[in-house]
Amino acid sequence: MLIISCPWCGERPEIEFVYGGEAHIARPADPSALSDQEWADFLYNRTNPKGTHAERWRHIHGCGRFFNAVRDTVSDFFVATYKPGEPRPDLSQDDAK
Amino acid sequence: MSDLLFPLTALAATASDLPAARLSALPPATRLVFRGRESAVGPAGIAFGAELPRQACRFKRSGDRLAAWLGPDEWLLIAEDADPAALIAEIEPAVFGLPHALVDVSSRSLGIALEGPRAAYVLNQGCPLDLSEAAFPVGMVTRTVFGKAEIVLLRETPERFRLDVWRSFAPYVWGLLEEARRELA
Ligand SMILES: [Zn+2]
């Protein structure tokens, strides 16, 4: 079973977690100023990378909290997890595979 | 007692007596969920009678009062003696004006105790956590899963666990625990 490290609870089995979509997507401050295309980008269009991806997870059958994770979409390897509000960690030095 | 209010009564009456992992239904208790900002956490613990632990996944017990960390701003308070309304009336004045929520969830779940040298082994039939004492020491509590049900799991002694199970899932969890114990007969 895949082990995911909750920033509060530590290493836990993946079945305690749910996926919450791409991370670091901020709601536009003034939606009415956006074009339809810009609004559609905010609502629906995601980066969908092949490789490392910053995404939200929730430790739903644990502490219940949302947090962010950087996961490799090729290998399913969790490179890092961090609390909401914290910046995406710079992993350029790491061997992320 | 009706099966609807106490769905474990009939099951507990026919539970096989296996000292390796003894299963018992715990008596009804008052349960409150406390959620609040840092300023309210200390006073709530003093008024409740057991400190609300700041450390993740730990519980503190004082007499028959137990405060369990469930999340960074969320605690489960269990009191075996007190009436829910009376307990809320004790705590609310201490946190008046401080951001918090205190909710009576006494009827939401039922308590199950599992005790014996094979208790951790039996739990691992449905719970994927590492239940060695190094990874899950005495004094640890967490929400987790058992089979398809969510439970709150506490380790009270090296060989005694307490499960808090949502009421409608309790017969299912009980049945799975019985199934897991069968090989110990
Ligand atoms: Zn957690």
Side-chain angles (χ1 to χ4, degrees):
Chain A
M1 191 177 289
L2 189 62
I3 301 290
I4 301 174
S5 185
C6 168
W8 287 278
C9 306
E11 294 189 343
R12 294 301 193 93
E14 63 171 312
I15 57 170
E16 291 186 355
F17 297 85
V18 288
Y19 178 69
E22 186 171 355
H24 305 298
I25 294 174
R27 183 183 170 86
D30 185 7
S32 59
L34 266 54
S35 69
D36 285 354
Q37 184 56 49
E38 287 168 328
W39 187 242
D41 283 343
F42 161 68
L43 286 182
Y44 305 115
N45 296 331
R46 297 295 179 258
T47 51
N48 193 27
K50 181 179 182 180
T52 54
H53 183 223
E55 53 200 21
R56 303 195 311 159
W57 282 79
R58 187 178 178 203
H59 193 191
I60 188 162
H61 300 302
C63 62
R65 280 341 91 128
F66 276 95
F67 59 93
N68 293 329
V70 176
R71 183 177 60 94
D72 191 311
T73 59
V74 177
S75 62
D76 210 17
F77 179 75
F78 276 73
V79 184
T81 55
Y82 50 106
K83 290 179 182 178
E86 294 176 359
R88 177 177 173 155
D90 177 18
L91 300 162
S92 50
Q93 313 301 319
D94 293 18
D95 178 18
K97 301 295 179 285
Chain B
M1 288 188 285
S2 87
D3 278 4
L4 205 61
L5 283 173
F6 301 99
L8 295 181
T9 308
L11 292 168
T14 60
S16 39
D17 183 36
L18 297 170
R22 208 166 250 131
L23 195 54
S24 52
L26 295 172
T30 287
R31 296 174 183 80
L32 306 180
V33 163
F34 176 85
R35 299 196 63 169
R37 301 268 174 85
E38 178 57 33
S39 60
V41 176
I46 293 167
F48 174 59
E51 187 189 338
L52 275 51
R54 305 307 209 283
Q55 192 187 349
C57 302
R58 289 296 181 276
F59 69 86
K60 289 243 168 92
R61 187 199 293 274
S62 175
D64 57 11
R65 302 280 160 99
L66 188 155
W69 185 101
L70 290 187
D73 63 355
E74 180 182 3
W75 287 264
L76 176 67
L77 312 179
I78 303 177
E80 258 126 47
D81 59 339
D83 169 70
L87 190 56
I88 287 175
E90 277 176 47
I91 300 172
E92 279 295 358
V95 290
F96 181 77
L98 303 171
H100 73 282
L102 186 61
V103 180
D104 174 15
V105 294
S106 304
S107 306
R108 184 171 73 181
S109 51
L110 296 171
I112 297 174
L114 184 65
E115 184 168 20
R118 305 301 297 282
Y121 172 82
V122 168
L123 274 172
N124 271 147
Q125 309 305 307
C127 172
L129 292 181
D130 179 354
L131 296 178
S132 68
E133 280 189 75
F136 203 105
V138 172
M140 183 162 170
V141 57
T142 184
R143 256 190 299 248
T144 183
V145 289
F146 186 81
K148 301 275 184 191
E150 182 176 288
I151 62 169
V152 174
L153 181 65
L154 300 89
R155 188 176 218 150
E156 298 182 312
T157 76
E159 295 188 353
R160 181 181 166 90
F161 292 88
R162 181 194 165 110
L163 288 74
D164 224 51
V165 184
W166 282 15
R167 178 171 295 270
S168 58
F169 288 93
Y172 163 80
V173 168
W174 184 280
L176 263 188
L177 286 166
E178 276 288 25
E179 188 71 27
R181 291 188 328 138
R182 272 173 54 185
E183 65 175 278
L184 305 176

